[in-house]
Amino acid sequence: MARYTGAVCKLCRREGKKLFLKGERCYTGKCALERRAYAPGQHGQSRKKTSEYGLQLRAKQQAKRYYGIPESQFYNYFLTAERKQGMTGTNLLKICESRLDNVVYLLGWANSRAEARQLVNHGHYTVNGRKVNIPSYLVKAGDKVAIADSSKDSAKIQAVLETNGARPVPQWLDKAADTEAKIVALPERDQIACPVEEQLIVELYSK
């Protein structure tokens, strides 16, 4: 299935919660959900009773949209999470959280996860000294992530660093410098900001 290319603010309104798909704009009064806190479309303001399946589906859609992951890839992550020790839902979010595009966004090196995917595709970042242009690349504890030397003087990268330089960084990431960071460990559930009930996703896929 092709990646969604429409207005991302509609996705937040459909889910009824902020998914932070437009980066810093989501923290301001310009956020579409602040101005129109109902689902888009002709029947968006009508009351609807949500079934158990509907709640599970919405949780899955929220997680997919939050990280920008296609359905087939997200399901493969679930299968991987199921095979790991521990709680499947937490394992699933850990996998999503350790994607390179998500790490780049959390470090403040991109304004949104969508922009992070694009910048990773263009080869602006390295992992352990080697350029990686695959947004879904999964980092591991101990990996060192950095902005490539050839990209440090880029006007785009400089603008992003200036805008997001003060953004708080999760504890599982050690941002030693503006352009370098280390993966201290994979995050625990309380260190993951994804606003979903992951157990509902597990219940959906386990049917």
Side-chain angles (χ1 to χ4, degrees), residues 17 39-40 55 93-94 96 122-123 144 151 180 188 193 205 207:
K17 62 176 65 175
L55 291 173
L93 293 186
K94 281 186 176 182
C96 295
H122 292 172
K144 294 182 179 179
S151 302
E180 297 178 7
E188 299 300 325
Y205 279 140
K207 288 184 175 180

XYZ file of all heavy atoms in Angstrom, residues 17 39-40 55 93-94 96 122-123 144 151 180 188 193 205 207:
125
model
N -6.562 12.620 18.859
C -5.445 12.945 19.735
C -4.252 13.405 18.905
O -4.165 13.102 17.710
C -5.040 11.756 20.594
C -4.554 10.547 19.824
C -4.090 9.439 20.755
C -5.209 8.876 21.586
N -4.773 7.711 22.393
N -13.561 14.632 14.223
C -13.079 13.932 13.031
C -13.416 14.710 11.762
O -14.434 15.411 11.703
C -13.695 12.538 12.964
N -12.568 14.615 10.731
C -12.853 15.318 9.477
C -14.000 14.661 8.719
O -14.392 13.536 9.018
C -11.525 15.182 8.708
C -10.932 13.911 9.215
C -11.303 13.862 10.671
N -12.000 0.045 18.905
C -10.967 0.561 19.796
C -9.605 -0.048 19.471
O -8.579 0.646 19.468
C -11.330 0.255 21.259
C -12.522 1.015 21.833
C -12.869 0.474 23.219
C -12.221 2.508 21.911
N 6.549 -1.493 20.590
C 6.860 -0.070 20.656
C 8.366 0.170 20.719
O 8.867 1.145 20.163
C 6.178 0.563 21.868
C 4.645 0.617 21.827
C 4.115 1.401 23.021
C 4.141 1.251 20.534
N 9.105 -0.727 21.367
C 10.564 -0.597 21.415
C 11.162 -0.685 20.014
O 12.084 0.055 19.671
C 11.163 -1.698 22.296
C 11.071 -1.445 23.786
C 11.818 -2.534 24.552
C 11.823 -2.266 26.038
N 12.584 -3.296 26.785
N 9.618 0.023 17.142
C 9.247 1.242 16.415
C 10.103 2.428 16.876
O 10.537 3.251 16.068
C 7.775 1.561 16.632
S 6.631 0.337 15.954
N 18.302 10.786 2.224
C 19.295 11.583 1.497
C 20.711 11.418 2.049
O 21.635 12.084 1.602
C 18.895 13.064 1.528
C 17.658 13.341 0.729
N 17.025 14.566 0.741
C 16.933 12.565 -0.108
C 15.963 14.527 -0.056
N 15.885 13.318 -0.579
N 20.871 10.539 3.034
C 22.206 10.201 3.521
C 22.848 11.231 4.429
O 24.078 11.367 4.434
N 26.456 4.523 17.874
C 26.698 5.962 17.854
C 26.099 6.553 16.578
O 26.431 6.125 15.477
C 28.200 6.249 17.925
C 28.822 5.838 19.247
C 30.309 6.180 19.319
C 30.898 5.785 20.674
N 32.345 6.085 20.769
N 27.326 16.833 5.748
C 26.029 17.486 5.889
C 26.005 18.566 6.964
O 25.028 19.306 7.076
C 24.950 16.443 6.207
O 24.875 15.456 5.212
N 26.252 14.696 17.522
C 26.583 13.306 17.837
C 25.750 12.814 19.024
O 25.399 13.600 19.898
C 28.071 13.159 18.202
C 29.025 13.509 17.079
C 30.480 13.383 17.517
O 30.715 12.886 18.647
O 31.365 13.793 16.757
N 12.573 1.883 27.922
C 11.542 1.190 28.675
C 10.200 1.824 28.319
O 10.145 2.902 27.733
C 11.809 1.298 30.173
C 13.125 0.670 30.617
C 13.208 -0.816 30.304
O 12.151 -1.497 30.380
O 14.304 -1.297 29.972
N 6.929 7.911 24.391
C 5.838 8.894 24.439
C 4.659 8.548 23.537
O 3.666 9.272 23.525
C 6.384 10.276 24.064
N -4.246 -8.131 16.660
C -3.469 -9.021 15.817
C -3.524 -10.482 16.276
O -3.174 -11.380 15.528
C -2.003 -8.573 15.778
C -1.729 -7.427 14.815
C -0.857 -6.402 15.176
C -2.283 -7.399 13.549
C -0.573 -5.361 14.297
C -2.017 -6.362 12.667
C -1.157 -5.354 13.040
O -0.876 -4.326 12.171
N -6.253 -12.094 17.086
C -7.551 -12.713 16.792
C -7.411 -13.802 15.715
O -6.601 -13.696 14.826
C -8.532 -11.646 16.316
C -8.972 -10.735 17.466
C -10.005 -9.752 17.001
C -10.525 -8.917 18.177
N -11.550 -7.943 17.779
